[in-house]
Amino acid sequence: EKKQIFRAFGAIDVIIEPKMVTLEWIASPCNDMFADAVLSAVLQAESLESPNYLPPPSKVDKMHFKECLIELLQDMFGEESVPKIFQGDKIYVTVDGKKANIDLSELKVTCVEDDTFQQIVQTAVSKLHQTLVPVKGSL
């Protein structure tokens, strides 16, 4: 019997075995919220019927993702927190003197001043990407 283990949200261990899924995490308000989300996804996936077909993956416009991300970050942190002009795959957001650097090619956020701010921005980037990019698509 093969067992698969992966980590969700950097905090929840999801252990998949035949006919059983186990979630493990260290209790905290944030981790509990993540575990609730993972549990909801597992239960919803279990209740879905397998589709007869999968639609072909559509190509996602990289520029559209960037524009949506900038708009999302401006809505979250204010228009002054995100530069109006950026080039390439790197942008940043600054709040209260803390700068989070976003690498769009890797979908990775770094902020040396504040881990919580980094996690908030990382979650926003990841969730937006999951929303805009088809299951098998990539930017």
Side-chain angles (χ1 to χ4, degrees):
E1 293 181 2
K2 197 168 185 180
K3 178 166 46 170
Q4 290 182 305
I5 302 173
F6 67 92
R7 180 159 280 187
F9 301 109
I12 312 300
D13 289 336
V14 181
I15 304 160
I16 301 172
E17 299 177 85
K19 301 198 181 260
M20 183 170 63
V21 174
T22 305
L23 304 180
E24 295 179 352
W25 70 96
I26 296 173
S28 74
C30 188
N31 289 350
D32 292 352
M33 178 185 67
F34 288 147
D36 285 344
V38 172
L39 179 61
S40 294
V42 168
L43 292 173
Q44 185 173 7
E46 181 186 46
S47 69
L48 294 175
E49 291 183 24
S50 297
N52 295 335
Y53 70 94
L54 290 174
S58 61
K59 184 143 175 104
V60 175
D61 183 8
K62 202 172 190 179
M63 194 64 198
H64 178 66
F65 175 72
K66 289 180 188 180
E67 290 167 358
C68 289
L69 180 61
I70 287 174
E71 189 174 330
L72 174 65
L73 293 172
Q74 287 175 340
D75 287 347
M76 289 175 71
F77 304 112
E79 289 188 23
E80 69 285 349
S81 64
V82 183
K84 301 280 185 249
I85 301 171
F86 66 92
Q87 292 181 327
D89 285 342
K90 303 208 185 295
I91 63 172
Y92 62 89
V93 57
T94 306
V95 176
D96 294 333
K98 299 169 191 164
K99 183 176 180 180
N101 295 297
I102 305 165
D103 182 341
L104 296 173
S105 61
E106 306 268 326
L107 296 178
K108 182 133 178 75
V109 177
T110 55
C111 177
V112 293
E113 298 95 354
D114 188 340
D115 288 340
T116 303
F117 181 49
Q118 175 180 318
Q119 186 63 45
I120 290 168
V121 176
Q122 180 69 63
T123 300
V125 170
S126 300
K127 294 288 186 188
L128 180 65
H129 186 262
Q130 290 170 0
T131 302
L132 293 179
V133 176
V135 174
K136 296 193 179 198
S138 64
L139 291 176

